[in-house]
Amino acid sequence: MLSFENDYSCTATPEIIERIEQIEQNQYPGYGNDSICESAKTKIREACSCPDAQIFFLVGGTQTNQTIIDSITPQYAGVVAANTGHVNVHEAGAIEFTGHKVLTLPHHDGKIDANELDEYCATFYADGNYTHMVFPGCVYISQATEYGTLYTLAELEAIRKVCTKYDMPLFIDGARLGYAMTATGNDVTLEDIARIADVFYIGGTKVGAMFGEAVVFTHGNMPKNFVTLVKQHGALLAKGWLLGVQFDTLFTDDLYCRIARHANDAADRIREVLVERGYTLTFDAPTNQIFITLDNATSERLQRNVRLGFMEKADDTHTVMRICTSWATTDEQVEQLIALL
Amino acid sequence: MLSFENDYSCTATPEIIERIEQIEQNQYPGYGNDSICESAKTKIREACSCPDAQIFFLVGGTQTNQTIIDSITPQYAGVVAANTGHVNVHEAGAIEFTGHKVLTLPHHDGKIDANELDEYCATFYADGNYTHMVFPGCVYISQATEYGTLYTLAELEAIRKVCTKYDMPLFIDGARLGYAMTATGNDVTLEDIARIADVFYIGGTKVGAMFGEAVVFTHGNMPKNFVTLVKQHGALLAKGWLLGVQFDTLFTDDLYCRIARHANDAADRIREVLVERGYTLTFDAPTNQIFITLDNATSERLQRNVRLGFMEKADDTHTVMRICTSWATTDEQVEQLIALL
Amino acid sequence: MLSFENDYSCTATPEIIERIEQIEQNQYPGYGNDSICESAKTKIREACSCPDAQIFFLVGGTQTNQTIIDSITPQYAGVVAANTGHVNVHEAGAIEFTGHKVLTLPHHDGKIDANELDEYCATFYADGNYTHMVFPGCVYISQATEYGTLYTLAELEAIRKVCTKYDMPLFIDGARLGYAMTATGNDVTLEDIARIADVFYIGGTKVGAMFGEAVVFTHGNMPKNFVTLVKQHGALLAKGWLLGVQFDTLFTDDLYCRIARHANDAADRIREVLVERGYTLTFDAPTNQIFITLDNATSERLQRNVRLGFMEKADDTHTVMRICTSWATTDEQVEQLIALL
Amino acid sequence: MLSFENDYSCTATPEIIERIEQIEQNQYPGYGNDSICESAKTKIREACSCPDAQIFFLVGGTQTNQTIIDSITPQYAGVVAANTGHVNVHEAGAIEFTGHKVLTLPHHDGKIDANELDEYCATFYADGNYTHMVFPGCVYISQATEYGTLYTLAELEAIRKVCTKYDMPLFIDGARLGYAMTATGNDVTLEDIARIADVFYIGGTKVGAMFGEAVVFTHGNMPKNFVTLVKQHGALLAKGWLLGVQFDTLFTDDLYCRIARHANDAADRIREVLVERGYTLTFDAPTNQIFITLDNATSERLQRNVRLGFMEKADDTHTVMRICTSWATTDEQVEQLIALL
């Protein structure tokens, strides 16, 4: 059945599969101490214009969020996130599992607001009982957000300023960073991300790789003995070169952005048709995720022919569903979907 | 300076001090395996009309909440609480420290609503992605609440029903249970609490004891090897008889309720005057905590002469403050306060 | 440079790479809910003669040990392991990270002894203070062990008996299970393992796969909501079919055992030569890991031409090194090594 | 029945009970922010000759060990302790509960050896795989030890040197520090302890107080937001002045040492008799704990008339038992015991 359920339903780009075949006979040292990882890191540093970036490859998103947040957040503190943030909603409590509370701000189309963050911190430190409360210890945002929306450069700069003011590292979840960077209207470059965030990751799982997230510490701030922390969290891949080779491929000839743009183009085409045909877009989002509020009859009709993502019940007669394109979406699939709408 | 800051600013009732003097020369086995603890437990079982209750004495409230919730909540689950619940706000993340998320419901004068709890659980299990989310694994409520309000018997029964429906143990934080049981208009007895809750505690720290909370498991459901779990949480008191002797005293001749009623009487008298003089009571609460919304000038004026509890900024010109009576409040102190109002 | 450093220095068997290529264009549901995972599970159930086995695929060994042990060990308990066990030595504290102590028994060539396990438990429960101590809550052993040695069937049965006596689930780490099953002299079949263990895993990372460990719960004892627990531990792979396809391939036409036997044959050949030439084998082990105690001069000489694994300093003039063959070891490599010995 | 079972079977010294009576009517601010705590801290700073010491009062020993070790040990590290250390054996896994492994060294009459500690660390950092292992992150010793023995000043200085060499804070568990300081032959003063340790505690529970341990950070190294960490661990006492008043009393007129010396005198007298009568002292220890290896018949005979502490089975016919004196032991009790020996 046709599926626009998510952006991680295909294995990997042919270029990656090909590279893996090519290295099939080789022997490499384990745990990422290999030349391919080094090559991939060099390419990522260049793409970020951040020659001192410290880079570590992990396997998946929840694992990455868990390991990073636990490593950068003080023991007495929690992580501030949108109430819709992946770490707050869809990670089965992986953050709390490591002892840290997720402190939530209301979201605005999936984003937190710098002023509200400032107000939150100001109120916290003004509270006479704040030493009995969980300190705001780091800030988590996603670009693109869980709703497919984007922070503007100005918004990121404003959040950065508040982070600096209250001594909170800023962590950007880039599980869909490729789709963010290549979206129509986006004004935030990879260099901007590297300049603004204390640590972020470039998502592979959802953007062309079999798996893999490239964590980037931007200013010599990789936590001490980070490889041990990763191992302790159960997150160290034995055959690290498998991560290296995928990112080395994605960051060769701009492949990462090319395939991401392809997904956005497909989404733009679908959005155009949705608007033409009077569908209600739940959010005004320019990336590969399209949320539509459907009456239940339409929702059921569509799902007889195409697999969509469930988001939430909007009310008794409406449901929010997600149409998700990816690097692997074909023109044919797009046309099939459009025929159903 | 006169203080109505909280209900744990005096050492203990004279009866308790006296009992401690009396046993000063005796030797007891450690960790609660002594005859005084046994005596206290017998008295509490009688007071609860719950002959099979399993009782364990702990030192303080946060410690008790942490140990109990961690012991009764499944590993894959969190605890549902009002967003104003002590475990969510004022325990420095002690619950998350043990790996469990606090799942919040909006409060209504400090209370959760049974229908909203039902809806929360229904929505959870209806969500296609619920296995990636934190299960509602137990329910935490306080009686009296953090705002001094009370659940009615009907409200408790309704919450119990939802707990049973979704297989969640119900835990009642009774840090101020004495003040709840003896408040004007209260319709919930200790027997009711013992019948409705899976586990609850009778607060000593805030009701006459130097320290101590009596945890009551109501139907043979004390977690296996509970003493080991308590030790593991750092919560086992070596000289357990000190806890026993305090509760044995408090549950002799109804002392616990007598001193609690005294505090409520004092609060009622103050409330009466506040209303007469046109003060704004923030909540309609019948127990020993009185919350008033003050303009900042009045707030400052009062605080020059009496120590009050800070609650929160209401807006730029108003602050919510707390007047808290206790078992130790004297008529003289009440009159001094009234003179200042 | 020639390398016998470990058994996870090559990507994967050609059969696996080929299968991945074949499915490159397909779409699959995420998180292991796909038909290939089902097929792989069916094959593993058959290979285990355990039609009710519940199977879950995870990515790596430490992650698997951490998730399993944390899920099957009571909160008040630890895991009993050989002091040389991987969980005790080489996982950066991943077990303690989840709150459980590793309780160690002395090893005998990497193995624990059933009688010593029995004695340990008997002593524990006879100790007047045992409720203040960490209970032995489950038992962890590895087959093959970290030293390449094997438990005999009789030894496993004896350990099983003690586990049953003291109500401790038995968990067998099978990171190198293929090498164990196909070793000369081994008398333990996969069916035996499935019958004796409460849970075990079939290692893929070290036996032909890019990554992956197939966890097998043998009698309906998979922990409740296990997928949520896996997610909470950061261990859930988005593209689960990548795990499925690898195990489906390994369990087709006995590939798993064929490639493991190949590694053992290579090790046998090397062992033969080592003995002929008077080397000291540190352990009498029949699997793909060969430990030799070398004088430092020889150790240095060898390592100029071949990468070996460091084990430990034996004394001031000797070092224990490891020669490790794998499914990928070629006859040519074996001859090159032999020429250096 | 006569009891020499432990040193925490009596409530508190009369001086402490008297002080508590005296303050019974007073109101104090909570959580240790009161003038009595300040007074106690001043006296302790003077007794330690450490004017900059930062002091925090906690309730019990396991709680203190758990909170301190978790606060001073890096996330990727464990705590080094004697295998007989209280944190390793008798705290129900409270250290591992916070995520840290206890790394054990063999004990010598309850003590670790500086050379062995040095060797342990040297071996660790020389291991090619050390980043996959648990780092030695702090060192835990007890003075007096769990076996009643004492470190000499030279031994402590030697351990300190190794701690400095490998950047590990030194934490001294002083649950029985009074008994150590006043033992015959002891050459370590409180000033020495404060100079040598990074953090230590002065035990109250076992030396005259109802409960309470005074944690001393010796050089401005109290962890940031320590009160929040304490609260998070469930270890913050609401009525902190109860801790303050006890230590204020114990550090007035040298009461702490006077009562400790009394216990040691009683133990010396018992030891003298034991030796005269041919008993086997298990350890050569000068403090209030006496370990004797008894044949089982004698052990049973004695225990019919006096409660002793169980230590361990020595062999099939012998048991190690503990005779423990305390500040509360009377001459009469000593004579009664001697009559039984």
Side-chain angles (χ1 to χ4, degrees), chain D residues 111-283:
Chain D
K111 299 188 283 182
I112 61 168
D113 176 81
N115 288 330
E116 289 177 3
L117 177 63
D118 196 354
E119 178 69 18
Y120 181 90
C121 296
T123 302
F124 176 84
Y125 287 106
D127 191 315
N129 303 311
Y130 79 89
T131 60
H132 287 208
M133 296 161 68
V134 179
F135 282 65
C138 79
V139 173
Y140 166 93
I141 60 176
S142 339
Q143 176 82 330
T145 72
E146 292 75 7
Y147 288 168
T149 53
L150 294 182
Y151 287 91
T152 64
L153 184 55
E155 287 170 340
L156 289 181
E157 301 273 20
I159 289 169
R160 166 76 266 171
K161 222 169 137 181
V162 181
C163 287
T164 302
K165 181 174 170 186
Y166 293 103
D167 194 19
M168 304 178 291
L170 176 61
F171 169 39
I172 300 181
D173 173 336
R176 295 191 174 95
L177 192 54
Y179 302 127
M181 291 195 295
T182 61
T184 305
N186 168 59
D187 70 344
V188 181
T189 64
L190 190 54
E191 289 90 330
D192 292 328
I193 295 282
R195 178 174 45 83
I196 291 170
D198 293 285
V199 52
F200 69 99
Y201 72 92
I202 301 168
T205 300
K206 291 170 179 163
V207 193
M210 294 195 294
F211 55 85
E213 323 296 325
V215 180
V216 184
F217 291 93
T218 58
H219 46 271
N221 57 325
M222 181 180 275
K224 198 174 165 185
N225 295 316
F226 189 64
V227 68
T228 307
L229 290 172
V230 168
K231 181 82 179 169
Q232 181 190 51
H233 286 73
L236 189 63
L237 190 68
K239 302 185 181 178
W241 66 87
L242 288 171
L243 292 160
V245 79
Q246 295 186 80
F247 279 97
D248 196 61
T249 306
L250 289 171
F251 279 81
T252 298
D253 298 335
D254 206 26
L255 180 62
Y256 188 71
C257 285
R258 281 190 286 122
I259 61 175
R261 198 173 299 122
H262 170 81
N264 285 337
D265 289 346
D268 285 345
R269 169 89 178 102
I270 295 165
R271 259 188 291 267
E272 196 178 25
V273 173
L274 286 166
V275 170
E276 277 169 23
R277 301 194 186 166
Y279 280 84
T280 304
L281 298 184
T282 320
F283 304 104

Side-chain angles (χ1 to χ4, degrees), chain A residues 225-234 236, chain C residues 62 66 86-97, chain D residues 75-78 99-101 124 129-135:
Chain A
N225 295 316
F226 189 63
V227 67
T228 307
L229 289 172
V230 169
K231 181 82 180 171
Q232 182 191 49
H233 286 72
L236 189 62
Chain C
T62 295
Q66 180 183 60
H86 203 258
V87 293
N88 190 46
V89 184
H90 284 123
E91 302 194 349
I95 304 304
E96 292 82 3
F97 180 70
Chain D
Q75 203 171 352
Y76 51 79
H100 297 287
K101 192 181 187 72
F124 176 84
N129 303 311
Y130 79 89
T131 60
H132 287 208
M133 296 161 68
V134 179
F135 282 65

Side-chain angles (χ1 to χ4, degrees), chain C residues 154-285:
Chain C
E155 287 170 340
L156 289 181
E157 302 272 19
I159 289 171
R160 166 76 265 171
K161 221 168 138 182
V162 181
C163 287
T164 302
K165 181 174 170 187
Y166 293 104
D167 194 19
M168 304 178 290
L170 175 61
F171 169 38
I172 301 181
D173 173 336
R176 293 190 174 97
L177 192 54
Y179 302 127
M181 292 196 294
T182 60
T184 305
N186 168 59
D187 69 345
V188 180
T189 64
L190 190 55
E191 288 91 331
D192 292 328
I193 295 281
R195 178 174 45 82
I196 291 169
D198 293 285
V199 52
F200 70 98
Y201 70 92
I202 301 169
T205 301
K206 290 170 178 161
V207 192
M210 294 194 295
F211 54 85
E213 324 294 326
V215 179
V216 184
F217 290 93
T218 59
H219 45 270
N221 58 324
M222 181 180 275
K224 199 174 163 185
N225 295 315
F226 189 64
V227 67
T228 307
L229 290 172
V230 168
K231 182 81 179 169
Q232 181 190 50
H233 286 72
L236 189 62
L237 190 68
K239 302 185 181 179
W241 67 87
L242 288 172
L243 291 160
V245 77
Q246 294 186 80
F247 278 98
D248 196 61
T249 306
L250 289 170
F251 279 82
T252 298
D253 298 335
D254 206 27
L255 179 63
Y256 187 70
C257 286
R258 281 190 287 122
I259 61 176
R261 198 172 299 121
H262 170 81
N264 285 338
D265 289 346
D268 284 345
R269 169 89 178 102
I270 296 165
R271 260 189 290 267
E272 195 178 26
V273 172
L274 286 166
V275 170
E276 277 170 24
R277 301 194 187 167
Y279 280 85
T280 303
L281 297 184
T282 320
F283 304 104
D284 182 19

Side-chain angles (χ1 to χ4, degrees), chain A residues 88 90 92 96 101 132-133, chain B residues 88-90 92 96 101 132:
Chain A
N88 190 47
H90 283 123
E96 291 82 2
K101 193 181 186 71
H132 287 209
M133 295 160 69
Chain B
N88 190 47
V89 183
H90 283 124
E96 292 83 2
K101 192 180 187 72
H132 287 209

